[in-house]
Amino acid sequence: MLVLSRKVGQSIVIRDDIVLKVVSVDGDTVKIGIEAPKNISIYREEIYDAIKNENKGAVLQEQVLDLRELTALLEKKNDSQGNQDA
């Protein structure tokens, strides 16, 4: 991790299109302004973590549904094969 010291009003540039600027410092709270292209998503860490967890839950739910559908198809196939043998 790169650690840089900046004062209020100073900036950090990332690539050619992202600028982080220290807007204010009040006790242990630092306000940072971010200039970036609209196609770049910017989240606070706790929001990003919540989104990742929600996405993982959705994928797991989808996998459970797919497994249920697969089980139903296999049962249907086994039933139809059982009827053909009779």
Side-chain angles (χ1 to χ4, degrees):
M1 174 189 302
L2 174 64
V3 178
L4 301 172
S5 298
R6 300 280 71 202
K7 294 180 181 179
V8 173
Q10 294 180 329
S11 299
I12 297 170
V13 178
I14 302 171
R15 298 188 333 196
D16 291 331
D17 54 356
I18 301 172
V19 178
L20 306 176
K21 184 173 186 175
V22 178
V23 176
S24 69
V25 178
D26 184 19
D28 63 350
T29 301
V30 178
K31 289 187 180 179
I32 300 172
I34 304 169
E35 293 178 24
K38 291 185 185 280
N39 65 324
I40 295 179
S41 300
I42 301 170
Y43 301 102
R44 293 188 329 247
E45 184 177 27
E46 62 274 15
I47 300 298
Y48 183 73
D49 289 342
I51 291 168
K52 284 192 325 185
N53 289 334
E54 185 70 25
N55 287 343
K56 284 180 188 176
V59 168
L60 291 175
Q61 181 64 27
E62 188 173 311
Q63 289 175 344
V64 167
L65 292 175
D66 288 346
L67 184 57
R68 288 180 185 156
E69 291 173 13
L70 179 60
T71 302
L73 287 172
L74 289 173
E75 288 173 351
K76 185 176 180 180
K77 182 178 178 184
N78 288 338
D79 287 346
S80 67
Q81 286 179 346
N83 291 338
Q84 290 175 357
D85 292 339

Coordinates of all heavy atoms in Angstrom, one line a residue:
M1 N 0.9 -1.2 0.0 CA 0.0 0.0 0.0 C 0.9 1.2 0.0 O 1.8 1.3 0.8 CB -0.9 0.0 1.2 CG -1.7 1.3 1.3 SD -2.6 1.5 2.9 CE -3.7 0.1 2.9
L2 N 0.6 2.1 -0.9 CA 1.3 3.4 -0.9 C 0.6 4.4 0.0 O -0.6 4.5 0.0 CB 1.3 4.0 -2.4 CG 1.8 5.4 -2.6 CD1 3.3 5.4 -2.3 CD2 1.6 5.8 -4.0
V3 N 1.4 5.0 0.9 CA 0.8 5.9 1.9 C 1.4 7.3 1.5 O 2.7 7.5 1.5 CB 1.2 5.5 3.3 CG1 0.6 6.6 4.3 CG2 0.6 4.2 3.6
L4 N 0.6 8.3 1.3 CA 1.0 9.6 1.0 C 0.4 10.6 2.0 O -0.7 10.5 2.4 CB 0.5 10.0 -0.4 CG 1.0 9.2 -1.6 CD1 0.4 9.5 -2.9 CD2 2.5 9.3 -1.7
S5 N 1.2 11.6 2.3 CA 0.6 12.7 3.2 C 0.2 13.9 2.3 O 0.9 14.3 1.4 CB 1.7 13.2 4.1 OG 2.1 12.2 5.0
R6 N -0.9 14.4 2.6 CA -1.5 15.6 1.8 C -2.1 16.6 2.8 O -2.6 16.2 3.9 CB -2.5 15.2 0.8 CG -2.1 14.2 -0.2 CD -1.4 14.8 -1.4 NE 0.0 15.2 -1.0 CZ 0.7 16.1 -1.7 NH1 0.2 16.7 -2.8 NH2 1.9 16.4 -1.3
K7 N -2.1 17.8 2.5 CA -2.7 18.9 3.3 C -4.0 19.2 2.6 O -4.2 18.9 1.4 CB -1.8 20.1 3.4 CG -0.5 19.8 4.2 CD 0.4 21.0 4.3 CE 1.6 20.7 5.0 NZ 2.5 21.8 5.1
V8 N -4.9 19.9 3.3 CA -6.1 20.4 2.8 C -5.8 21.2 1.5 O -4.9 22.0 1.4 CB -6.9 21.3 3.8 CG1 -8.1 21.9 3.1 CG2 -7.3 20.4 5.0
G9 N -6.6 20.9 0.4 CA -6.4 21.5 -0.9 C -5.4 20.8 -1.8 O -5.4 21.1 -3.0
Q10 N -4.6 19.9 -1.3 CA -3.7 19.2 -2.1 C -4.4 17.9 -2.7 O -5.3 17.4 -2.1 CB -2.4 18.8 -1.3 CG -1.6 20.0 -0.9 CD -0.4 19.6 -0.1 OE1 -0.4 18.6 0.6 NE2 0.7 20.4 -0.2
S11 N -3.8 17.5 -3.8 CA -4.4 16.4 -4.5 C -3.4 15.2 -4.8 O -2.2 15.4 -4.7 CB -4.9 16.9 -5.9 OG -5.9 17.9 -5.7
I12 N -4.0 14.1 -5.2 CA -3.3 13.0 -5.7 C -3.9 12.6 -7.0 O -5.1 12.6 -7.2 CB -3.4 11.8 -4.7 CG1 -2.8 12.1 -3.4 CG2 -2.8 10.5 -5.3 CD1 -3.1 11.1 -2.3
V13 N -3.0 12.4 -8.0 CA -3.5 12.0 -9.4 C -3.3 10.6 -9.6 O -2.1 10.1 -9.4 CB -2.8 12.9 -10.4 CG1 -3.3 12.5 -11.8 CG2 -3.1 14.4 -10.2
I14 N -4.3 9.9 -10.1 CA -4.2 8.5 -10.5 C -4.4 8.4 -12.0 O -5.5 8.8 -12.5 CB -5.2 7.6 -9.7 CG1 -4.9 7.7 -8.2 CG2 -5.0 6.1 -10.2 CD1 -6.0 7.1 -7.3
R15 N -3.5 7.8 -12.7 CA -3.5 7.8 -14.2 C -3.7 9.3 -14.6 O -3.2 10.2 -14.0 CB -4.7 6.9 -14.7 CG -4.5 5.5 -14.3 CD -5.4 4.5 -14.9 NE -6.7 5.1 -15.3 CZ -7.8 4.4 -15.6 NH1 -7.7 3.1 -15.5 NH2 -8.9 4.9 -15.9
D16 N -4.4 9.5 -15.7 CA -4.6 10.8 -16.2 C -6.0 11.4 -15.9 O -6.2 12.5 -16.2 CB -4.4 10.9 -17.8 CG -2.9 10.6 -18.2 OD1 -2.0 11.0 -17.4 OD2 -2.7 10.1 -19.3
D17 N -6.8 10.5 -15.4 CA -8.2 10.9 -15.3 C -8.9 10.8 -13.9 O -10.1 10.9 -13.8 CB -9.0 10.1 -16.3 CG -8.8 8.6 -16.2 OD1 -8.0 8.1 -15.3 OD2 -9.5 7.8 -16.9
I18 N -8.1 10.5 -12.9 CA -8.7 10.4 -11.5 C -7.9 11.3 -10.6 O -6.6 11.2 -10.5 CB -8.6 9.0 -11.0 CG1 -9.4 8.0 -11.9 CG2 -9.2 8.9 -9.6 CD1 -9.3 6.6 -11.6
V19 N -8.6 12.2 -9.9 CA -7.9 13.1 -9.0 C -8.6 13.0 -7.6 O -9.8 13.1 -7.5 CB -8.0 14.6 -9.5 CG1 -7.4 15.5 -8.5 CG2 -7.4 14.8 -10.8
L20 N -7.8 12.7 -6.6 CA -8.3 12.7 -5.2 C -7.8 14.0 -4.6 O -6.6 14.3 -4.6 CB -7.8 11.5 -4.5 CG -8.0 10.1 -5.1 CD1 -7.3 9.1 -4.3 CD2 -9.5 9.8 -5.3
K21 N -8.7 14.7 -4.0 CA -8.4 16.0 -3.3 C -8.8 16.0 -1.9 O -10.0 15.7 -1.6 CB -9.0 17.2 -4.1 CG -8.6 18.5 -3.6 CD -9.1 19.7 -4.5 CE -8.6 21.0 -4.0 NZ -9.0 22.1 -4.9
V22 N -7.9 16.4 -1.0 CA -8.3 16.6 0.4 C -9.1 17.9 0.5 O -8.5 18.9 0.3 CB -7.1 16.6 1.3 CG1 -7.5 16.8 2.8 CG2 -6.3 15.3 1.2
V23 N -10.4 17.7 0.9 CA -11.2 18.9 1.0 C -11.2 19.5 2.3 O -11.1 20.7 2.5 CB -12.7 18.5 0.6 CG1 -13.6 19.7 0.7 CG2 -12.7 18.0 -0.9
S24 N -11.2 18.7 3.4 CA -11.2 19.2 4.7 C -10.8 18.1 5.7 O -10.9 16.9 5.4 CB -12.5 19.8 5.2 OG -13.5 18.8 5.3
V25 N -10.3 18.5 6.9 CA -10.0 17.6 7.9 C -10.6 18.1 9.2 O -10.3 19.3 9.5 CB -8.4 17.4 8.1 CG1 -8.1 16.5 9.3 CG2 -7.8 16.9 6.8
D26 N -11.4 17.3 9.9 CA -12.0 17.8 11.1 C -11.9 16.6 12.1 O -12.6 15.6 12.1 CB -13.5 18.1 10.8 CG -14.2 18.6 12.1 OD1 -13.6 19.1 13.0 OD2 -15.5 18.6 12.1
G27 N -10.9 16.7 13.0 CA -10.6 15.7 13.9 C -10.1 14.4 13.2 O -9.2 14.5 12.5
D28 N -10.8 13.3 13.4 CA -10.4 12.1 12.7 C -11.2 11.9 11.4 O -11.2 10.8 10.9 CB -10.5 10.9 13.7 CG -12.0 10.6 14.1 OD1 -12.8 11.5 13.9 OD2 -12.2 9.6 14.7
T29 N -11.9 12.9 11.0 CA -12.7 12.8 9.7 C -12.0 13.5 8.6 O -11.7 14.7 8.8 CB -14.1 13.3 9.9 OG1 -14.8 12.5 10.9 CG2 -14.9 13.1 8.6
V30 N -11.8 12.9 7.5 CA -11.2 13.5 6.3 C -12.2 13.5 5.2 O -12.7 12.4 4.9 CB -9.9 12.7 5.9 CG1 -9.3 13.4 4.7 CG2 -8.9 12.7 7.0
K31 N -12.5 14.6 4.6 CA -13.3 14.7 3.5 C -12.5 14.7 2.2 O -11.6 15.5 2.1 CB -14.2 15.9 3.5 CG -15.3 15.8 4.6 CD -16.3 17.0 4.4 CE -17.4 16.8 5.5 NZ -18.3 17.9 5.5
I32 N -12.8 13.8 1.3 CA -12.0 13.7 0.1 C -12.9 13.9 -1.1 O -14.0 13.3 -1.2 CB -11.4 12.3 0.0 CG1 -10.5 12.0 1.2 CG2 -10.6 12.1 -1.4 CD1 -10.0 10.6 1.3
G33 N -12.5 14.8 -2.0 CA -13.2 15.0 -3.3 C -12.6 14.1 -4.3 O -11.4 13.9 -4.4
I34 N -13.4 13.5 -5.2 CA -12.9 12.6 -6.2 C -13.5 13.1 -7.6 O -14.7 13.2 -7.8 CB -13.4 11.1 -6.0 CG1 -13.0 10.7 -4.6 CG2 -12.9 10.2 -7.0 CD1 -13.6 9.4 -4.1
E35 N -12.5 13.3 -8.5 CA -12.9 13.6 -9.9 C -12.5 12.4 -10.7 O -11.3 12.0 -10.7 CB -12.1 14.8 -10.4 CG -12.5 16.1 -9.7 CD -11.8 17.3 -10.2 OE1 -11.2 17.2 -11.3 OE2 -11.6 18.3 -9.5
A36 N -13.5 11.8 -11.4 CA -13.2 10.6 -12.2 C -14.2 10.5 -13.3 O -15.3 11.1 -13.2 CB -13.3 9.3 -11.3
P37 N -13.9 9.8 -14.3 CA -14.9 9.6 -15.4 C -16.1 8.9 -14.9 O -16.1 8.1 -13.9 CB -14.1 8.7 -16.4 CG -12.7 8.8 -16.1 CD -12.6 9.1 -14.6
K38 N -17.2 9.2 -15.5 CA -18.5 8.6 -15.1 C -18.6 7.1 -15.2 O -19.3 6.5 -14.5 CB -19.7 9.2 -15.9 CG -19.9 10.7 -15.6 CD -21.1 11.2 -16.3 CE -21.3 12.7 -16.2 NZ -21.9 13.1 -14.9
N39 N -17.8 6.5 -16.0 CA -17.8 5.0 -16.2 C -17.0 4.3 -15.1 O -17.0 3.1 -15.1 CB -17.3 4.6 -17.6 CG -15.8 5.0 -17.7 OD1 -15.3 6.0 -17.2 ND2 -15.1 4.1 -18.5
I40 N -16.4 5.0 -14.2 CA -15.7 4.4 -13.1 C -16.6 4.5 -11.8 O -17.0 5.5 -11.4 CB -14.4 5.1 -12.8 CG1 -13.5 4.9 -14.0 CG2 -13.7 4.6 -11.5 CD1 -12.1 5.6 -13.9
S41 N -16.9 3.3 -11.3 CA -17.7 3.2 -10.1 C -16.8 3.5 -8.8 O -15.7 3.0 -8.7 CB -18.3 1.8 -9.9 OG -19.1 1.6 -11.0
I42 N -17.4 4.4 -8.0 CA -16.7 4.7 -6.7 C -17.6 4.5 -5.6 O -18.7 5.0 -5.5 CB -16.2 6.2 -6.8 CG1 -15.3 6.5 -8.0 CG2 -15.6 6.6 -5.4 CD1 -15.0 7.9 -8.2
Y43 N -17.2 3.6 -4.6 CA -18.0 3.3 -3.4 C -17.2 3.5 -2.2 O -16.0 3.2 -2.1 CB -18.4 1.8 -3.5 CG -19.2 1.5 -4.7 CD1 -18.6 0.8 -5.8 CD2 -20.6 1.8 -4.8 CE1 -19.3 0.4 -6.9 CE2 -21.3 1.4 -6.0 CZ -20.7 0.8 -7.0 OH -21.4 0.4 -8.1
R44 N -17.9 3.8 -1.1 CA -17.3 3.6 0.2 C -17.1 2.2 0.5 O -17.8 1.3 0.0 CB -18.2 4.2 1.3 CG -18.3 5.7 1.2 CD -19.1 6.3 2.4 NE -20.1 5.5 3.0 CZ -21.4 5.7 3.0 NH1 -21.9 6.7 2.4 NH2 -22.2 4.8 3.6
E45 N -16.0 1.8 1.2 CA -15.7 0.4 1.4 C -16.9 -0.4 2.0 O -17.1 -1.5 1.5 CB -14.5 0.2 2.3 CG -14.0 -1.2 2.5 CD -12.8 -1.3 3.4 OE1 -12.6 -0.4 4.2 OE2 -12.1 -2.3 3.2
E46 N -17.6 0.1 2.9 CA -18.7 -0.7 3.5 C -19.8 -0.9 2.5 O -20.5 -1.9 2.6 CB -19.2 0.0 4.8 CG -19.8 1.3 4.7 CD -18.8 2.5 4.7 OE1 -17.6 2.3 4.6 OE2 -19.3 3.6 4.9
I47 N -20.0 0.0 1.7 CA -21.1 -0.1 0.6 C -20.6 -1.2 -0.4 O -21.4 -2.1 -0.8 CB -21.4 1.2 -0.1 CG1 -21.9 2.2 0.9 CG2 -22.3 1.0 -1.2 CD1 -23.2 1.9 1.6
Y48 N -19.3 -1.1 -0.8 CA -18.8 -2.1 -1.7 C -18.9 -3.5 -1.2 O -19.3 -4.4 -1.9 CB -17.3 -1.7 -2.1 CG -16.7 -2.6 -3.1 CD1 -17.1 -2.5 -4.4 CD2 -15.7 -3.5 -2.8 CE1 -16.5 -3.3 -5.4 CE2 -15.1 -4.3 -3.7 CZ -15.5 -4.2 -5.0 OH -15.0 -5.0 -5.9
D49 N -18.5 -3.6 0.1 CA -18.6 -5.0 0.7 C -20.0 -5.5 0.8 O -20.3 -6.7 0.5 CB -18.0 -4.9 2.2 CG -16.5 -4.7 2.2 OD1 -15.9 -5.0 1.1 OD2 -16.0 -4.3 3.2
A50 N -21.0 -4.6 1.0 CA -22.4 -5.0 1.1 C -22.9 -5.4 -0.3 O -23.6 -6.4 -0.5 CB -23.3 -3.9 1.6
I51 N -22.4 -4.7 -1.4 CA -22.8 -5.1 -2.7 C -22.2 -6.4 -3.1 O -22.9 -7.3 -3.7 CB -22.3 -4.0 -3.7 CG1 -23.1 -2.7 -3.6 CG2 -22.4 -4.5 -5.2 CD1 -22.5 -1.5 -4.3
K52 N -20.9 -6.7 -2.7 CA -20.3 -8.0 -3.0 C -21.0 -9.1 -2.3 O -21.3 -10.2 -2.9 CB -18.8 -8.0 -2.6 CG -17.9 -7.2 -3.5 CD -16.4 -7.5 -3.2 CE -16.0 -7.6 -1.8 NZ -14.6 -7.8 -1.5
N53 N -21.4 -8.9 -1.0 CA -22.1 -9.9 -0.3 C -23.5 -10.2 -0.9 O -23.9 -11.3 -1.0 CB -22.2 -9.5 1.2 CG -20.9 -9.6 1.9 OD1 -20.0 -10.4 1.5 ND2 -20.8 -8.8 3.0
E54 N -24.2 -9.2 -1.3 CA -25.5 -9.3 -2.0 C -25.3 -10.1 -3.3 O -26.1 -11.0 -3.6 CB -26.1 -7.9 -2.2 CG -27.5 -8.0 -2.8 CD -28.5 -8.4 -1.8 OE1 -28.3 -8.3 -0.6 OE2 -29.6 -8.9 -2.2
N55 N -24.3 -9.8 -4.0 CA -24.1 -10.5 -5.3 C -23.7 -12.0 -5.0 O -24.2 -12.8 -5.8 CB -23.0 -9.8 -6.1 CG -23.4 -8.5 -6.7 OD1 -24.6 -8.2 -6.8 ND2 -22.4 -7.7 -7.1
K56 N -22.9 -12.3 -4.0 CA -22.6 -13.6 -3.7 C -23.9 -14.4 -3.3 O -24.1 -15.5 -3.7 CB -21.6 -13.7 -2.5 CG -20.2 -13.4 -2.9 CD -19.3 -13.5 -1.7 CE -17.9 -13.0 -2.0 NZ -17.1 -13.0 -0.8
G57 N -24.8 -13.7 -2.5 CA -26.0 -14.4 -2.1 C -26.9 -14.6 -3.3 O -27.5 -15.7 -3.4
A58 N -26.9 -13.7 -4.3 CA -27.8 -13.9 -5.5 C -27.2 -15.1 -6.3 O -28.0 -15.9 -6.8 CB -27.8 -12.6 -6.3
V59 N -25.9 -15.2 -6.4 CA -25.3 -16.3 -7.2 C -25.6 -17.6 -6.5 O -26.0 -18.6 -7.1 CB -23.8 -16.1 -7.3 CG1 -23.1 -17.3 -7.8 CG2 -23.5 -14.9 -8.3
L60 N -25.5 -17.7 -5.2 CA -25.8 -18.9 -4.4 C -27.2 -19.3 -4.6 O -27.6 -20.5 -4.8 CB -25.4 -18.8 -3.0 CG -23.9 -18.7 -2.7 CD1 -23.7 -18.4 -1.2 CD2 -23.2 -19.9 -3.1
Q61 N -28.1 -18.3 -4.5 CA -29.6 -18.6 -4.7 C -29.8 -19.1 -6.1 O -30.6 -20.1 -6.2 CB -30.4 -17.3 -4.4 CG -31.9 -17.5 -4.5 CD -32.4 -18.5 -3.5 OE1 -31.9 -18.6 -2.4 NE2 -33.5 -19.1 -3.8
E62 N -29.2 -18.6 -7.1 CA -29.4 -19.0 -8.4 C -28.8 -20.4 -8.6 O -29.5 -21.3 -9.3 CB -28.6 -18.1 -9.4 CG -28.9 -18.3 -10.9 CD -28.3 -17.3 -11.8 OE1 -28.5 -16.1 -11.5 OE2 -27.7 -17.7 -12.7
Q63 N -27.7 -20.7 -8.0 CA -27.2 -22.1 -8.0 C -28.1 -23.1 -7.4 O -28.3 -24.2 -7.9 CB -25.8 -22.2 -7.4 CG -24.7 -21.4 -8.2 CD -23.4 -21.4 -7.5 OE1 -23.3 -21.6 -6.3 NE2 -22.4 -21.1 -8.2
V64 N -28.8 -22.7 -6.3 CA -29.7 -23.6 -5.6 C -30.9 -23.9 -6.5 O -31.4 -25.0 -6.7 CB -30.2 -23.0 -4.3 CG1 -31.4 -23.7 -3.7 CG2 -29.0 -23.0 -3.3
L65 N -31.4 -22.8 -7.2 CA -32.5 -23.0 -8.1 C -32.1 -23.8 -9.3 O -32.9 -24.7 -9.7 CB -33.0 -21.6 -8.6 CG -33.7 -20.7 -7.6 CD1 -34.0 -19.3 -8.1 CD2 -34.9 -21.4 -7.0
D66 N -30.9 -23.6 -9.8 CA -30.4 -24.5 -10.9 C -30.3 -25.9 -10.5 O -30.7 -26.8 -11.3 CB -29.1 -24.0 -11.4 CG -29.2 -22.7 -12.2 OD1 -30.3 -22.3 -12.6 OD2 -28.1 -22.0 -12.4
L67 N -29.9 -26.2 -9.3 CA -29.8 -27.5 -8.8 C -31.1 -28.2 -8.7 O -31.3 -29.3 -9.0 CB -29.0 -27.5 -7.5 CG -28.7 -28.9 -6.9 CD1 -27.9 -29.8 -7.8 CD2 -28.0 -28.7 -5.5
R68 N -32.1 -27.4 -8.2 CA -33.5 -27.9 -8.1 C -34.0 -28.3 -9.5 O -34.7 -29.3 -9.7 CB -34.4 -26.9 -7.4 CG -34.1 -26.8 -5.9 CD -35.0 -25.8 -5.2 NE -34.6 -25.6 -3.8 CZ -34.9 -24.6 -3.1 NH1 -35.6 -23.6 -3.7 NH2 -34.5 -24.5 -1.9
E69 N -33.8 -27.4 -10.4 CA -34.3 -27.6 -11.8 C -33.6 -28.9 -12.4 O -34.3 -29.7 -13.0 CB -34.0 -26.4 -12.7 CG -34.8 -25.2 -12.4 CD -34.4 -24.0 -13.1 OE1 -33.6 -24.1 -14.1 OE2 -34.8 -22.9 -12.8
L70 N -32.3 -29.0 -12.2 CA -31.6 -30.2 -12.6 C -32.2 -31.5 -12.0 O -32.4 -32.5 -12.7 CB -30.1 -30.0 -12.3 CG -29.2 -31.2 -12.8 CD1 -29.3 -31.4 -14.3 CD2 -27.8 -31.0 -12.3
T71 N -32.4 -31.4 -10.7 CA -33.0 -32.6 -10.0 C -34.3 -32.9 -10.6 O -34.6 -34.1 -10.8 CB -33.1 -32.3 -8.5 OG1 -31.8 -31.9 -8.0 CG2 -33.7 -33.4 -7.7
A72 N -35.2 -31.9 -10.8 CA -36.5 -32.2 -11.4 C -36.4 -32.8 -12.8 O -37.1 -33.7 -13.1 CB -37.3 -30.9 -11.5
L73 N -35.4 -32.3 -13.6 CA -35.3 -32.9 -14.9 C -34.8 -34.3 -14.9 O -35.3 -35.2 -15.6 CB -34.3 -32.0 -15.7 CG -34.7 -30.7 -16.2 CD1 -33.6 -29.9 -16.8 CD2 -35.9 -30.8 -17.2
L74 N -33.9 -34.6 -14.0 CA -33.4 -36.0 -13.8 C -34.5 -36.9 -13.4 O -34.6 -38.0 -13.8 CB -32.2 -36.0 -12.9 CG -30.9 -35.4 -13.4 CD1 -29.8 -35.3 -12.3 CD2 -30.4 -36.2 -14.6
E75 N -35.3 -36.4 -12.4 CA -36.4 -37.3 -11.9 C -37.4 -37.5 -13.0 O -37.9 -38.6 -13.2 CB -37.1 -36.6 -10.7 CG -36.2 -36.6 -9.5 CD -36.8 -35.8 -8.3 OE1 -37.8 -35.1 -8.6 OE2 -36.3 -35.9 -7.2
K76 N -37.7 -36.5 -13.8 CA -38.6 -36.6 -15.0 C -38.1 -37.6 -16.0 O -38.8 -38.5 -16.5 CB -38.8 -35.3 -15.6 CG -39.9 -35.3 -16.7 CD -40.1 -33.9 -17.2 CE -41.1 -33.8 -18.3 NZ -41.3 -32.5 -18.8
K77 N -36.8 -37.5 -16.3 CA -36.1 -38.5 -17.2 C -36.2 -39.9 -16.7 O -36.5 -40.8 -17.4 CB -34.7 -38.0 -17.5 CG -34.0 -38.9 -18.5 CD -32.6 -38.4 -18.7 CE -31.9 -39.4 -19.7 NZ -30.5 -39.0 -19.9
N78 N -35.9 -40.1 -15.4 CA -35.9 -41.4 -14.8 C -37.4 -42.0 -14.8 O -37.6 -43.1 -15.1 CB -35.4 -41.4 -13.4 CG -33.9 -41.2 -13.3 OD1 -33.2 -41.5 -14.3 ND2 -33.4 -40.7 -12.2
D79 N -38.4 -41.1 -14.6 CA -39.8 -41.6 -14.6 C -40.1 -42.0 -16.0 O -40.8 -43.0 -16.2 CB -40.7 -40.4 -14.1 CG -40.6 -40.2 -12.6 OD1 -40.0 -41.1 -11.9 OD2 -41.1 -39.1 -12.2
S80 N -39.7 -41.2 -17.0 CA -40.1 -41.6 -18.4 C -39.4 -42.8 -18.8 O -39.9 -43.6 -19.6 CB -39.8 -40.4 -19.4 OG -38.4 -40.2 -19.5
Q81 N -38.1 -43.1 -18.4 CA -37.4 -44.3 -18.7 C -38.1 -45.5 -18.0 O -38.1 -46.5 -18.6 CB -35.9 -44.2 -18.4 CG -35.2 -43.3 -19.3 CD -33.7 -43.1 -18.9 OE1 -33.3 -43.5 -17.8 NE2 -32.9 -42.6 -19.8
G82 N -38.5 -45.3 -16.8 CA -39.2 -46.3 -16.1 C -40.5 -46.8 -16.8 O -40.8 -47.9 -16.9
N83 N -41.2 -45.8 -17.4 CA -42.4 -46.1 -18.1 C -42.2 -46.8 -19.4 O -42.9 -47.6 -19.9 CB -43.2 -44.8 -18.4 CG -43.8 -44.2 -17.1 OD1 -44.0 -44.9 -16.1 ND2 -44.1 -42.9 -17.2
Q84 N -41.0 -46.5 -20.1 CA -40.7 -47.2 -21.3 C -40.3 -48.6 -21.1 O -40.5 -49.5 -21.9 CB -39.5 -46.4 -22.0 CG -39.9 -45.1 -22.5 CD -38.6 -44.3 -23.1 OE1 -37.5 -44.8 -23.0 NE2 -38.9 -43.1 -23.6
D85 N -39.7 -48.9 -19.9 CA -39.3 -50.3 -19.6 C -40.5 -51.2 -19.4 O -40.4 -52.4 -19.5 CB -38.4 -50.3 -18.4 CG -37.1 -49.7 -18.7 OD1 -36.7 -49.6 -19.9 OD2 -36.4 -49.2 -17.7
A86 N -41.7 -50.6 -19.0 CA -42.8 -51.4 -18.6 C -43.6 -52.0 -19.8 O -43.5 -51.9 -20.9 CB -43.8 -50.6 -17.8

